[in-house]
Amino acid sequence: MSPTIVHWAAGSSYAGTGDRTSEVTNPATGAVTGRLALASREDAEHVIAAAAEAAPGWAKTSLARRTAVLFAFRELLNARRDELAAIITAEHGKVLSDALGEIARGQEVVEFACGISHLLKGGHSESVSTNVDVHSKRDPLGVVGIISPFNFPAMVPMWFFPIAIATGNTVVLKPSEKDPTAAIWLARLWQEAGLPDGVFNVLQGDKVAVDALLTSPTVQAISFVGSTPIAEYVYQEAAKHGKRVQALGGAKNHMVVLPDADLDLAADAAVSAGFGSAGERCMAISALVAVGSIADDLVARIADRTRSLLIGDGSGEATAAAGDGDGREADMGPLVTQAHRDRVESFVALGESAGAKVVVDGREVTVRGGAGDVEAGFWLGPTLLDHVTPQMEVYREEIFGPVLSVLRVETYEEAVALVNDNPYGNGTAVFTNDGGAARRYEADVNVGMIGVNVPVPVPVAYYSFGGWKRSLFGDTHAHGAEGVHFFTRGKVVTTRWIDPANRPEGGLELGFPRNV
């Protein structure tokens, strides 16, 4: 009997009253490993109410106490990250090293939030008028909702909740139905770190749970990461109900390789950024733009590296099961579900029928087994398509899988036009040894995050993460200074204290007050 994964409210498991469930699977074997309780509207209201009850007390908790809890959470996560990585791999499918990398990048935001005392300092101006002083401060919002995608069940929530909690808010996290257990593990870790009950809560579910967060008058803000259509829906619905919203959407990230680039460096980067985590990253490189005469040579180098990748169970059990003694773990695991795997494969067929050349065909993948039966896993190997054109559907759509499309252009200007004409503006990279060309590229492209000889330009935590165009709905990016401002609102206090030894004469003054 598969265990049931439930909600977390007010410091304990909450089974809920709903009778709907969904399956949670191991993508490497296809086996059902759990059943997820899908929230009813009443369940959502119960979890939100737990956050609301805890909000006043946590908002009044000293910065020193909040910071102490954050440091304790950081230490516990560092000590037990292997547990969390194993959960991520078992439900998402990414290899253990990738899961550990995800946790490490999320931990950066925890560490950033540990300095919240400095980040919340306001301003003070003395004697702006006679006996009048002014100071500013930033207050928490109250209850905030986080809606997280399947591809980063730990890192994406950690883009938001450390800052939300550090600034005095209480949190309701709605994880993906595909890999929900990491959220419960994090809730228990927060409790162990000393976070008061009700400050961090988990609401499991589907659209019912999402809509409850978007429409609840108690929830003051929504942070979302997911596909562009859903990001747009979340933004519109939450904003309609008076909420502050940061909704990060999809991407079609281009990597432009100029003729003077180091082609070995570029080929390594293209394979790593295109096929890491089976391409299930909003910052994955899915479109490589080869400029000038380098295309044949570059494609050949990428193909050689792609064919060398080992595809298998990401848990690390595949190495022992293979019996070949090479001690090598898998480079890439399965896709998250059978339906998603089939969708990604359909784009390969569409590209081929439209005239793209299939250089490496992931439909013919050989899988290294693990402890379970991988025959039923959700496998699609890394796929390299050449001679892709902007008119092809394989280029126009966000695939979110291990499919790298190569487009060939003659000039730098054509490459920039491809990037700027795309409706997405999440991330891009340029590979070149020419500093002037790189500097020009930074200025020319309309994209939120840019890498120069860096294929996945995810900013460090004290800078903010987010794209432009249809990759972001709302005005505020994740973490960094923008994240602190998103989870707080400014307050300005003007005070006058009368000196009893020099009391001014009174009198009514109905005109608009002037500073003198």
Side-chain angles (χ1 to χ4, degrees), residues 374-396:
V374 297
E375 292 297 321
F378 314 138
W379 303 101
L380 182 70
T383 300
L384 177 62
L385 302 179
D386 194 7
H387 298 285
V388 174
T389 67
Q391 295 74 35
M392 294 180 184
E393 195 168 355
V394 71
Y395 171 74
R396 295 199 313 268

Side-chain angles (χ1 to χ4, degrees), residues 445-477:
V445 293
N446 298 323
V447 175
M449 294 171 284
I450 301 168
V452 178
N453 298 321
V454 174
V456 184
V458 175
V460 292
Y462 39 90
Y463 285 83
S464 296
F465 178 101
W468 289 10
K469 299 187 284 188
R470 289 187 62 77
S471 293
L472 175 72
F473 297 88
D475 299 321
T476 309
H477 294 156

